[in-house]
Amino acid sequence: MRIDIITCLPDLLKSPFNHSILKRAQDKKLVEIHVHDLRDYAINKQRQVDDYQFGGGAGMVLMIEPIDKCILKLKSEREYDEIIYLSPDGESLTQPVANKLSLEKNMIMLCGHYKGVDERVREHIITKEISIGDYVLSGGELAAIVLSDTIIRLIPGVLSDETSALSDSFQDNLIAPPVYTRPADYKGLKVPEILLSGHTGKIEEWRQSQSIQRTKERRSGLIDD
Ligand code: ADE
Protein backbone atom coordinates (compact mmCIF):
# COMPACT_ATOMS: atom_id res chain seq x y z
CA MET A 1 0.00 0.00 0.00
CA ARG A 2 1.07 3.55 -0.67
CA ILE A 3 -0.34 6.60 1.14
CA ASP A 4 0.41 10.12 -0.10
CA ILE A 5 -0.44 12.83 2.41
CA ILE A 6 -0.78 16.43 1.24
CA THR A 7 -0.38 19.05 3.95
CA CYS A 8 0.82 22.59 4.71
CA LEU A 9 2.45 21.25 7.89
CA PRO A 10 4.65 18.32 6.83
CA ASP A 11 6.69 18.39 10.04
CA LEU A 12 3.58 17.68 12.09
CA LEU A 13 3.38 14.25 10.47
CA LYS A 14 6.98 13.14 10.94
CA SER A 15 7.06 11.70 14.43
CA PRO A 16 3.93 9.49 14.38
CA PHE A 17 5.12 7.72 11.24
CA ASN A 18 8.60 7.20 12.63
CA HIS A 19 7.76 5.12 15.66
CA SER A 20 6.39 1.76 16.66
CA ILE A 21 3.99 -0.11 14.38
CA LEU A 22 3.79 2.54 11.66
CA LYS A 23 7.56 2.65 11.37
CA ARG A 24 7.89 -1.13 11.37
CA ALA A 25 5.26 -1.42 8.64
CA GLN A 26 7.36 0.88 6.45
CA ASP A 27 10.62 -0.89 7.33
CA LYS A 28 8.99 -4.18 6.29
CA LYS A 29 7.94 -2.51 3.00
CA LEU A 30 4.29 -3.25 3.70
CA VAL A 31 3.40 0.42 3.33
CA GLU A 32 5.00 3.52 1.84
CA ILE A 33 4.09 6.90 3.32
CA HIS A 34 4.93 10.01 1.28
CA VAL A 35 4.30 13.44 2.76
CA HIS A 36 3.96 16.35 0.33
CA ASP A 37 4.25 20.00 1.32
CA LEU A 38 1.40 21.84 -0.37
CA ARG A 39 3.57 24.97 -0.40
CA ASP A 40 5.82 23.30 -2.99
CA TYR A 41 2.86 23.78 -5.35
CA ALA A 42 2.13 27.36 -4.25
CA ILE A 43 0.87 29.99 -6.69
CA ASN A 44 3.74 32.45 -6.08
CA LYS A 45 7.21 32.94 -4.58
CA GLN A 46 5.62 33.80 -1.25
CA ARG A 47 4.55 30.13 -1.18
CA GLN A 48 0.93 31.18 -0.88
CA VAL A 49 -1.61 28.34 -0.79
CA ASP A 50 -4.64 30.05 0.77
CA ASP A 51 -6.70 33.20 0.33
CA TYR A 52 -9.67 35.13 1.71
CA GLN A 53 -13.07 33.69 0.96
CA PHE A 54 -15.31 35.25 -1.67
CA GLY A 55 -18.29 36.96 -0.13
CA GLY A 56 -16.35 37.94 2.97
CA GLY A 57 -16.01 36.26 6.32
CA ALA A 58 -13.23 35.34 8.69
CA GLY A 59 -10.70 32.60 7.93
CA MET A 60 -8.52 31.62 5.02
CA VAL A 61 -9.44 28.98 2.47
CA LEU A 62 -7.00 26.61 0.75
CA MET A 63 -6.92 27.39 -2.98
CA ILE A 64 -7.76 24.86 -5.66
CA GLU A 65 -4.67 25.49 -7.80
CA PRO A 66 -1.89 24.15 -5.52
CA ILE A 67 -4.04 21.14 -4.58
CA ASP A 68 -4.89 20.40 -8.20
CA LYS A 69 -1.24 20.70 -9.28
CA CYS A 70 -0.02 18.37 -6.53
CA ILE A 71 -2.72 15.76 -7.15
CA LEU A 72 -2.28 15.89 -10.95
CA LYS A 73 1.43 15.21 -10.51
CA LEU A 74 0.74 12.22 -8.26
CA LYS A 75 -1.95 10.89 -10.61
CA SER A 76 0.47 11.14 -13.55
CA GLU A 77 2.78 8.74 -11.71
CA ARG A 78 0.28 6.06 -10.64
CA GLU A 79 -3.42 5.32 -10.27
CA TYR A 80 -5.17 6.07 -7.01
CA ASP A 81 -8.07 4.13 -5.53
CA GLU A 82 -9.22 7.00 -3.33
CA ILE A 83 -8.46 10.69 -2.87
CA ILE A 84 -9.58 11.37 0.67
CA TYR A 85 -10.28 14.75 2.24
CA LEU A 86 -10.20 14.77 6.04
CA SER A 87 -13.08 16.89 7.24
CA PRO A 88 -15.39 17.01 10.26
CA ASP A 89 -18.40 16.75 7.94
CA GLY A 90 -17.15 13.63 6.14
CA GLU A 91 -18.29 10.03 6.60
CA SER A 92 -17.58 8.85 10.16
CA LEU A 93 -14.49 6.70 10.49
CA THR A 94 -15.59 3.33 11.84
CA GLN A 95 -13.91 -0.07 11.87
CA PRO A 96 -15.78 -1.24 8.72
CA VAL A 97 -14.61 1.90 6.87
CA ALA A 98 -11.00 1.20 7.93
CA ASN A 99 -11.33 -2.49 6.99
CA LYS A 100 -12.46 -1.54 3.50
CA LEU A 101 -9.70 1.04 2.98
CA SER A 102 -7.06 -1.45 4.16
CA LEU A 103 -7.70 -3.42 0.95
CA GLU A 104 -6.79 -0.47 -1.31
CA LYS A 105 -3.44 -0.10 -3.02
CA ASN A 106 -2.83 3.64 -3.40
CA MET A 107 -4.56 6.52 -1.69
CA ILE A 108 -4.10 10.23 -1.27
CA MET A 109 -5.09 12.03 1.94
CA LEU A 110 -5.58 15.78 1.76
CA CYS A 111 -5.37 17.70 5.02
CA GLY A 112 -7.48 20.83 5.24
CA HIS A 113 -6.60 23.86 7.30
CA TYR A 114 -7.97 27.23 8.29
CA LYS A 115 -11.58 27.48 7.04
CA GLY A 116 -11.20 24.44 4.78
CA VAL A 117 -10.67 24.04 1.05
CA ASP A 118 -12.29 25.66 -1.95
CA GLU A 119 -15.52 23.70 -2.48
CA ARG A 120 -14.53 22.90 -6.09
CA VAL A 121 -11.79 20.64 -4.72
CA ARG A 122 -14.39 18.64 -2.82
CA GLU A 123 -16.77 18.51 -5.77
CA HIS A 124 -14.32 17.63 -8.55
CA ILE A 125 -11.09 16.18 -7.15
CA ILE A 126 -11.90 14.37 -3.91
CA THR A 127 -13.44 10.87 -4.07
CA LYS A 128 -14.14 10.36 -0.35
CA GLU A 129 -14.46 12.55 2.76
CA ILE A 130 -13.74 11.16 6.19
CA SER A 131 -14.30 12.54 9.69
CA ILE A 132 -12.61 11.01 12.72
CA GLY A 133 -15.29 12.31 15.08
CA ASP A 134 -17.87 14.96 15.79
CA TYR A 135 -15.47 17.65 16.93
CA VAL A 136 -13.31 20.15 15.07
CA LEU A 137 -9.54 19.82 14.91
CA SER A 138 -7.25 22.68 13.88
CA GLY A 139 -6.43 20.80 10.70
CA GLY A 140 -6.67 17.45 8.98
CA GLU A 141 -3.16 16.28 9.92
CA LEU A 142 -4.08 14.57 13.18
CA ALA A 143 -7.06 13.00 11.43
CA ALA A 144 -4.78 11.71 8.62
CA ILE A 145 -2.53 10.12 11.24
CA VAL A 146 -5.49 8.43 12.95
CA LEU A 147 -6.90 7.22 9.64
CA SER A 148 -3.50 5.91 8.46
CA ASP A 149 -2.94 4.09 11.73
CA THR A 150 -6.32 2.35 11.68
CA ILE A 151 -5.73 1.23 8.09
CA ILE A 152 -2.06 0.23 8.27
CA ARG A 153 -2.42 -2.01 11.34
CA LEU A 154 -4.92 -4.11 9.34
CA ILE A 155 -2.48 -4.91 6.53
CA PRO A 156 -1.46 -8.58 6.85
CA GLY A 157 2.02 -8.87 8.34
CA VAL A 158 2.03 -5.45 10.01
CA LEU A 159 1.14 -6.77 13.45
CA SER A 160 3.38 -9.58 14.62
CA ASP A 161 0.38 -11.69 15.69
CA GLU A 162 -1.98 -11.33 12.74
CA THR A 163 -4.97 -12.40 14.77
CA SER A 164 -4.59 -9.50 17.14
CA ALA A 165 -6.13 -6.97 14.73
CA LEU A 166 -9.09 -9.31 14.29
CA SER A 167 -9.63 -9.48 18.04
CA ASP A 168 -9.60 -5.67 18.37
CA SER A 169 -12.61 -3.89 19.77
CA PHE A 170 -15.24 -3.12 17.11
CA GLN A 171 -14.36 -6.04 14.83
CA ASP A 172 -17.66 -8.04 15.02
CA ASN A 173 -19.31 -4.92 16.51
CA LEU A 174 -18.09 -5.95 19.96
CA ILE A 175 -15.79 -4.24 22.44
CA ALA A 176 -12.70 -6.27 23.36
CA PRO A 177 -12.77 -8.22 26.66
CA PRO A 178 -10.60 -7.13 29.61
CA VAL A 179 -6.96 -8.28 29.68
CA TYR A 180 -4.60 -8.88 32.60
CA THR A 181 -0.91 -9.60 33.10
CA ARG A 182 1.40 -10.42 36.03
CA PRO A 183 1.11 -10.38 38.94
CA ALA A 184 -2.01 -12.52 39.36
CA ASP A 185 -2.59 -10.87 42.76
CA TYR A 186 -1.62 -7.23 43.25
CA LYS A 187 -2.29 -6.01 46.79
CA GLY A 188 -5.34 -8.29 46.91
CA LEU A 189 -6.59 -7.24 43.44
CA LYS A 190 -6.99 -10.61 41.76
CA VAL A 191 -7.09 -11.68 38.13
CA PRO A 192 -10.29 -13.66 37.30
CA GLU A 193 -9.66 -17.33 38.19
CA ILE A 194 -10.80 -18.60 34.80
CA LEU A 195 -7.82 -16.95 33.06
CA LEU A 196 -5.42 -18.93 35.23
CA SER A 197 -7.26 -22.22 34.69
CA GLY A 198 -5.57 -23.26 31.45
CA HIS A 199 -8.96 -24.29 29.93
CA THR A 200 -8.66 -22.67 26.50
CA GLY A 201 -12.27 -23.33 25.52
CA LYS A 202 -13.67 -21.96 28.78
CA ILE A 203 -11.40 -18.92 28.58
CA GLU A 204 -12.64 -18.20 25.07
CA GLU A 205 -16.27 -18.51 26.26
CA TRP A 206 -15.57 -16.16 29.18
CA ARG A 207 -13.94 -13.60 26.87
CA GLN A 208 -16.87 -13.73 24.49
CA SER A 209 -19.40 -13.22 27.30
CA GLN A 210 -17.33 -10.34 28.72
CA SER A 211 -17.26 -8.72 25.28
CA ILE A 212 -21.02 -8.96 24.96
CA GLN A 213 -21.63 -7.70 28.50
CA ARG A 214 -19.23 -4.76 28.03
CA THR A 215 -20.73 -3.82 24.70
CA LYS A 216 -24.25 -3.84 26.20
CA GLU A 217 -23.09 -1.69 29.13
CA ARG A 218 -20.88 0.77 27.30
CA ARG A 219 -21.85 0.87 23.62
CA SER A 220 -25.29 -0.73 23.24
CA GLY A 221 -25.67 1.04 19.88
CA LEU A 222 -23.12 -1.35 18.38
CA ILE A 223 -25.33 -4.34 19.20
CA ASP A 224 -28.42 -2.62 17.78
CA ASP A 225 -26.42 -2.05 14.57
N1 ADE B 1 -10.43 18.29 10.29
C1 ADE B 1 -10.87 19.04 11.31
N2 ADE B 1 -11.62 18.33 12.16
C2 ADE B 1 -11.67 17.06 11.66
C3 ADE B 1 -12.30 15.86 12.06
N3 ADE B 1 -13.05 15.79 13.16
N4 ADE B 1 -12.13 14.77 11.30
C4 ADE B 1 -11.40 14.84 10.17
N5 ADE B 1 -10.78 15.94 9.74
C5 ADE B 1 -10.91 17.05 10.48
Side-chain angles (χ1 to χ4, degrees):
M1 177 185 289
R2 174 180 166 123
I3 302 177
D4 290 272
I5 305 179
I6 304 171
T7 170
C8 303
L9 299 168
D11 288 348
L12 195 52
L13 295 163
K14 279 192 184 137
S15 176
F17 288 113
N18 278 313
H19 293 280
S20 186
I21 290 171
L22 297 185
K23 177 166 193 302
R24 274 207 306 277
Q26 291 170 85
D27 291 346
K28 286 192 196 167
K29 309 259 180 277
L30 295 168
V31 66
E32 277 181 41
I33 312 275
H34 297 266
V35 176
H36 307 274
D37 187 347
L38 189 59
R39 292 191 192 281
D40 292 344
Y41 300 85
I43 58 156
N44 54 25
K45 282 204 196 106
Q46 288 71 47
R47 291 175 59 80
Q48 186 184 354
V49 291
D50 58 358
D51 212 336
Y52 296 102
Q53 53 180 309
F54 283 128
M60 305 293 270
V61 175
L62 288 178
M63 289 182 287
I64 188 169
E65 187 176 335
I67 295 170
D68 189 40
K69 272 195 206 156
C70 180
I71 291 179
L72 279 179
K73 177 171 181 288
L74 291 173
K75 280 167 86 174
S76 73
E77 292 162 353
R78 71 198 60 76
E79 276 193 17
Y80 284 92
D81 303 300
E82 294 288 5
I83 303 174
I84 300 168
Y85 176 53
L86 283 312
S87 168
D89 55 8
E91 177 184 0
S92 296
L93 175 59
T94 57
Q95 195 61 53
V97 170
N99 292 349
K100 205 158 161 237
L101 287 172
S102 74
L103 304 173
E104 305 291 18
K105 194 160 176 279
N106 299 322
M107 65 188 97
I108 293 174
M109 296 184 191
L110 172 65
C111 305
H113 241 266
Y114 319 108
K115 266 283 162 201
V117 296
D118 188 303
E119 189 64 19
R120 290 166 291 185
V121 171
R122 301 175 71 164
E123 280 173 4
H124 301 287
I125 301 176
I126 295 302
T127 62
K128 199 181 217 12
E129 302 192 338
I130 290 187
S131 162
I132 65 158
D134 290 343
Y135 42 79
V136 179
L137 299 163
S138 314
E141 285 77 12
L142 296 178
I145 294 164
V146 169
L147 177 60
S148 301
D149 188 290
T150 58
I151 294 170
I152 292 168
R153 64 198 303 287
L154 296 169
I155 300 171
V158 166
L159 298 182
S160 44
D161 176 1
E162 262 189 47
T163 59
S164 67
L166 295 176
S167 59
D168 281 345
S169 282
F170 304 114
Q171 297 288 8
D172 303 333
N173 272 6
L174 288 177
I175 287 177
V179 291
Y180 300 85
T181 187
R182 287 189 296 175
D185 183 340
Y186 181 68
K187 297 182 180 173
L189 301 174
K190 296 205 172 78
V191 167
E193 277 298 324
I194 181 79
L195 295 176
L196 311 173
S197 69
H199 293 301
T200 331
K202 289 217 167 110
I203 290 173
E204 213 27 69
E205 250 173 49
W206 179 85
R207 286 186 171 145
Q208 182 72 10
S209 77
Q210 287 287 314
S211 273
I212 294 169
Q213 190 185 321
R214 282 205 158 190
T215 310
K216 279 185 186 155
E217 283 166 10
R218 299 176 185 206
R219 301 293 299 276
S220 55
L222 287 174
I223 289 184
D224 299 341
D225 288 349

